[in-house]
Amino acid sequence: MSSVQEKKNDAVVAHDEHGHHHHPKLDAKTKAIINADAKLANPLRGVPHDRLMADVEVFAKERGLTHILPDLQKGAIVAQDPEAYNRLDMFTEEDRRVLREEVTHKWKQTGTLYYMVVMASLAAAVQGMDEAVINGAQILYPAQFGIGDSTSKRDGWLIGVINSAPYLCCATISCWLTDPLNQWLGRKKTIFLTCLISFLTCIWSGLTNTWWHLFIARFFLGFGIGPKSATVPVYAAECSPAPIRGALVMMWQMWTAFGIFIGDLIDLVFYFIPDRPGVTGLNWRLMLGSAGIPGLLVCLQVLWAPESPRWLISKGRYEEAFNELCRLRFSRVQAARDLYYIHVLLEAENEMKKGRNRFVEMFTIPRNRNAAIASWVVMFGQQFCGVNVIAYYSSNIFLQSGFNQVSALAASLGFGALNWLFALPAVFTIDTFGRRNLLLFTFPCMCICLLITGFSFWDGFEQGRVAGVSIGIYLFAVFYSPGEGPVPFTYSAEAFPLYIRDIGMSFATATTWFWNFVLSITWPSLVLAFKPQGAFGWYAAWCAILWVLILLFVRETKGKTLEELDQVFAVPARVHAAYGLRQIPYGIKKFLLFQNPVPEELYMPESDSEASSGVDEQSRREVKEDVEKA
C-alpha cells in the first residue's frame, strides 16, 4: 500500500489493491459545517446526566410545563440515548413497550398520523390532477377559443402559455411566498389557504370564455400550487416519527402521480358529456373544474388535523405543541421526548443563524456549492427528461400518431396508470439501489424510449405508428416513475446541511417549477418547428446529457449520516468528476463484457481511511481540534 499523497486544496488519496480512496482535505468553513451538523444531529450528545436533568427542570419552569416535568425528564433521557429506557428503572413497562415498538413495528402509528398522511396525499393529488385535466381539455377548448389551428405558430404559443401559466406564477412569485405564509399562518393554515385557492381557481378556469381569461385563471392557480408543494412535504416531515419520515415525505411525489392517473380517468369520462342549452364546452369545463375537488376535500379536513409541533414551538406555544404531539404519538413519553428534542434543536439552529447570510453561503462554501449543483442537476433533469411533455400533451401526441379523440384520452389514461403504479416500488428501491445508481440506470432507458416514440412517427403504416408511440411512452413511464420521479425531492431534502436546508429546498423547488414552465410553454412550437421526431429527439438528447451530468456531479447519499454527507460533498468537484469518468470503463467491463472488476471507492469513512493510509493518532487529534475550533 502506498503512502498518503497530499494535494494542495484538493484531497488526500490513498491507493491500494482495491482502487482509489479519496479522503477530502477540509477547509475551515467545511469543518465548521461538519461540527455544526454534528451538533444539530443530536444537540444533547455528551451532556452529563445531572446537567441534562437541571436543564430540563429550567426548561419546564420557563415554559410553564412543570405539570409534565416527569415526562419531560424521561423524554430528554431517551432523546439523548434512544436505548436508555432499557437500563433505567424510571421507565415503566408500558413506556418500554411503546418505545421498543417504534423500531420493531415502525408502521404501527396513531390514527391521527395516518389521517394527516391522507390529507397531505390529497393535497399532492391537486397538482397531479391539474397536470392531467389540462392534457385532456386542450384537445377541446382551443377550437372554441379560436386558437385550434395546429399549423399556426401563434396558436401553438398561446396553448403553451395557457398550459404553463401556473408554473410561471410558481417560479416567479408564489414559491417565494412559502416562507412568509408559513411564518404568519403556520403549516396547516397555509395548506388550507393554498388548497382553497386551488379549488376556486379550478372552478374559475371552467367558467372562462376567452384564451386570455383562461390564462389569468390558471396563473392564479399557481398561488395554490407553489407554496403547497413546499409546505406539504415539510408538514409531513415535522409530524412524522423518524423511522418512517422519509417514506412519508416521498408520498408527495407518489400521490402527485396518483392525481395524474385520476385526472386522465376524469378526462375520459367527462369527454362524453354533451353541451347544455347556453353552455358550450361543458365537457372540458368539467375537466378543469374537477381538479379542484381534492383541494376542497383538504380544506374540509385540514383544520381538524394537528398543527406542526415544530412550528408551534418556534412560536413559543409549547403547551399546544405537547398536546398535538400527544395526538400524533401513542404515549406522553414519546410526546415529551419529541417536544424537548425539537426545542434544543431549534435553539442550536437559531444560534448558528446569527450574523450569517445563508443564501450567500449556499454558493460560496464549496461543500454547499457542490450540494446546490447536484440538486440543480436532478431538479432540472426532472423536467428536461421530457416527462411533463407527456403529462401535459400526451392526448395531442396520441392524436398526431393516428388515434381518435376518445382513444387518445384512453391511451393517456394508460400512461397515468403506469406512472402511478411504478412509483409505488420507489419507497423501497430508492434506499436499496441508491439515488445516483437509479438515475444512471434509468436515464439511458428513458432516452431510448423517447427515440422510439419520436422515430415511430416516420412509420407510414398507422397501426405501426400507433403501436410504436404507445410502447415508447408507456416504457418511458415505467423507467421514470421509480427513478427521476421520486429522487429529486428526496435528494434535495438531504443534500444540504441542516442550517441552510430550508433555503436549499426553496432553491430546488423554484428550479423545478421554472423549467416546468419552460418545457410546457415551448412544446407546441417545438413540435411545429421540428415535427414530433425532432421534438422527442431533443429531449432524448437531454436525457443523454443529463446522464453525463449525473455521472460527473451527483454524489450518492443513500445510507449516509449527516456527518458522512458533509465529507462526501466536501470532495472537490473535479475529483468527483474524474471519479465519474473512471466509472465508464468499469461499467463497460461489468455490464457489457460481464467481467468482475473491482469497484473504486471514492470516499471511505474517516476511521477506515485513516487506518488504511497510515494517518497517526497525533494527526487525528489535530483534525479533531481543528473541527472543534472551527
Side-chain angles (χ1 to χ4, degrees):
M1 183 179 297
S2 65
S3 61
V4 179
Q5 301 174 357
E6 295 188 6
K7 297 182 179 181
K8 186 176 181 180
N9 296 326
D10 196 348
V12 177
V13 184
H15 302 273
D16 63 15
E17 68 276 11
H18 297 296
H20 306 274
H21 301 294
H22 297 265
H23 184 207
K25 186 176 182 180
L26 306 178
D27 58 90
K29 290 184 177 179
T30 300
K31 289 178 182 179
I33 292 173
I34 293 174
N35 191 38
D37 263 12
K39 184 177 180 180
L40 292 175
N42 191 341
L44 299 175
R45 182 181 298 160
V47 178
H49 178 79
D50 292 343
R51 179 185 162 191
L52 178 64
M53 292 298 97
D55 289 345
V56 171
E57 188 170 351
V58 171
F59 164 73
K61 290 178 179 178
E62 290 179 346
R63 309 298 175 180
L65 299 173
T66 53
H67 57 290
I68 61 168
L69 180 58
D71 293 320
L72 286 172
Q73 290 174 330
K74 289 193 286 187
I77 291 172
V78 177
Q80 183 184 53
D81 180 5
E83 299 296 327
Y85 67 88
N86 285 319
R87 303 189 301 270
L88 301 178
D89 295 335
M90 63 189 303
F91 292 92
T92 67
E93 284 303 316
E94 178 64 14
D95 293 335
R96 293 190 176 97
R97 181 190 66 80
V98 171
L99 293 170
R100 190 179 302 116
E101 286 184 349
E102 283 187 324
V103 178
T104 59
H105 299 79
K106 65 179 182 179
W107 291 103
K108 182 180 179 182
Q109 301 294 336
T110 63
T112 302
L113 179 67
Y114 283 116
Y115 170 73
M116 181 274 299
V117 172
V118 170
M119 184 273 299
S121 301
L122 282 173
V126 176
Q127 174 191 331
M129 283 189 66
D130 174 70
E131 294 181 10
V133 296
I134 195 65
N135 183 8
Q138 70 182 329
I139 68 175
L140 299 169
Y141 77 76
Q144 185 175 333
F145 290 169
I147 56 173
D149 185 356
S150 60
T151 63
S152 169
K153 187 175 181 180
R154 170 186 173 273
D155 289 0
W157 275 105
L158 290 179
I159 292 172
V161 165
I162 293 170
N163 288 349
S164 62
Y167 315 110
L168 173 63
C169 178
C170 289
T172 58
I173 304 174
S174 68
C175 275
W176 307 105
L177 297 178
T178 302
D179 185 62
L181 283 175
N182 278 269
Q183 288 294 324
W184 298 335
L185 302 177
R187 308 296 190 225
K188 69 177 186 178
K189 289 181 180 177
T190 297
I191 294 172
F192 173 85
L193 177 62
T194 52
C195 284
L196 181 62
I197 292 173
S198 296
F199 170 70
L200 294 175
T201 50
C202 285
I203 300 299
W204 180 8
S205 298
L207 299 175
T208 57
N209 285 303
T210 62
W211 70 262
W212 56 265
H213 193 186
L214 180 56
F215 166 80
I216 293 172
R218 286 183 55 75
F219 183 87
F220 277 88
L221 174 60
F223 288 101
I225 292 178
K228 175 162 53 64
S229 67
T231 301
V232 171
V234 171
Y235 175 66
E238 292 178 346
C239 291
S240 302
I244 61 171
R245 182 173 297 134
L248 295 187
V249 172
M250 278 185 60
M251 293 295 172
W252 171 261
Q253 179 64 33
M254 183 183 301
W255 293 101
T256 298
F258 177 73
I260 293 175
F261 166 64
I262 294 299
D264 287 332
L265 178 62
I266 286 173
D267 286 344
L268 183 60
V269 172
F270 285 177
Y271 176 84
F272 298 98
I273 295 178
D275 291 343
R276 296 288 189 269
V279 181
T280 56
L282 184 59
N283 48 5
W284 67 261
R285 296 179 186 279
L286 289 175
M287 291 176 190
L288 295 182
S290 66
I293 299 301
L296 178 61
L297 295 176
V298 174
C299 288
L300 294 176
Q301 64 172 322
V302 68
L303 295 181
W304 283 268
E307 179 55 275
S308 162
R310 182 184 172 95
W311 182 82
L312 290 170
I313 291 173
S314 71
K315 299 300 179 182
R317 296 156 62 176
Y318 285 82
E319 184 76 33
E320 294 176 60
F322 180 72
N323 293 335
E324 298 289 41
L325 282 166
C326 286
R327 295 176 62 192
L328 291 163
R329 307 290 185 261
F330 282 116
S331 75
R332 291 170 64 88
V333 170
Q334 290 174 304
R337 173 200 61 193
D338 292 349
L339 179 78
Y340 188 67
Y341 186 75
I342 294 170
H343 164 73
V344 295
L345 190 62
L346 282 173
E347 291 289 311
E349 289 179 1
N350 291 334
E351 185 64 28
M352 282 195 65
K353 294 175 184 177
K354 291 180 179 178
R356 305 180 71 169
N357 189 321
R358 291 176 294 150
F359 186 82
V360 171
E361 288 191 0
M362 185 166 68
F363 299 102
T364 57
I365 296 177
R367 180 262 180 266
N368 298 346
R369 184 170 60 247
N370 291 334
I373 292 172
S375 177
W376 187 91
V377 168
V378 295
M379 282 299 195
F380 171 79
Q382 190 176 60
Q383 301 306 321
F384 263 61
C385 70
V387 64
N388 282 328
V389 163
I390 300 172
Y392 297 145
Y393 295 102
S394 63
S395 296
N396 278 341
I397 293 168
F398 285 124
L399 279 174
Q400 289 175 308
S401 69
F403 284 88
N404 60 39
Q405 288 188 341
V406 175
S407 298
L409 292 174
S412 294
L413 176 61
F415 168 78
L418 288 172
N419 186 38
W420 178 54
L421 290 174
F422 280 87
L424 297 175
V427 175
F428 309 101
T429 59
I430 197 168
D431 284 320
T432 302
F433 300 108
R435 289 79 160 128
R436 185 171 183 265
N437 290 334
L438 277 174
L439 298 180
L440 290 175
F441 172 73
T442 55
F443 263 94
C445 298
M446 289 190 291
C447 176
I448 294 170
C449 293
L450 291 176
L451 291 175
I452 291 173
T453 304
F455 290 172
S456 295
F457 281 91
W458 271 314
D459 195 325
F461 296 97
E462 182 176 311
Q463 289 183 337
R465 184 168 62 251
V466 165
V469 170
S470 301
I471 290 171
I473 287 177
Y474 289 166
L475 287 178
F476 181 92
V478 169
F479 290 113
Y480 168 83
S481 296
E484 185 62 3
V487 165
F489 277 89
T490 303
Y491 191 94
S492 299
E494 63 194 3
F496 295 98
L498 282 173
Y499 85 104
I500 64 165
R501 186 158 293 170
D502 289 342
I503 293 176
M505 277 302 290
S506 295
F507 164 75
T509 306
T511 296
T512 196
W513 287 127
F514 173 77
W515 293 111
N516 187 313
F517 161 72
V518 171
L519 179 143
S520 54
I521 194 175
T522 56
W523 175 256
S525 297
L526 194 66
V527 172
L528 190 61
F530 299 108
K531 307 302 179 189
Q533 298 91 324
F536 277 105
W538 165 257
Y539 285 108
W542 272 110
C543 284
I545 294 170
L546 283 161
W547 184 85
V548 176
L549 293 177
I550 291 163
L551 186 74
L552 299 181
F553 300 113
V554 175
R555 297 119 192 275
E556 183 56 72
T557 59
K558 177 186 75 111
K560 297 286 195 297
T561 65
L562 286 170
E563 295 91 333
E564 289 170 339
L565 284 175
D566 286 324
Q567 298 277 350
V568 168
F569 282 102
V571 174
R574 61 182 177 276
V575 174
H576 189 275
Y579 161 74
L581 293 175
R582 290 194 298 272
Q583 284 190 301
I584 296 176
Y586 168 82
I588 293 173
K589 292 177 183 178
K590 183 174 179 64
F591 299 109
L592 295 182
L593 303 180
F594 301 103
Q595 298 177 2
N596 191 26
V598 177
E600 176 185 347
E601 294 288 342
L602 175 66
Y603 171 76
M604 295 193 328
E606 185 173 352
S607 57
D608 294 341
S609 180
E610 289 172 353
S612 64
S613 61
V615 178
D616 60 21
E617 180 66 20
Q618 178 62 30
S619 297
R620 190 177 66 82
R621 283 198 301 268
E622 289 175 357
V623 170
K624 183 177 179 182
E625 290 171 1
D626 287 344
V627 171
E628 289 174 350
K629 290 178 182 177

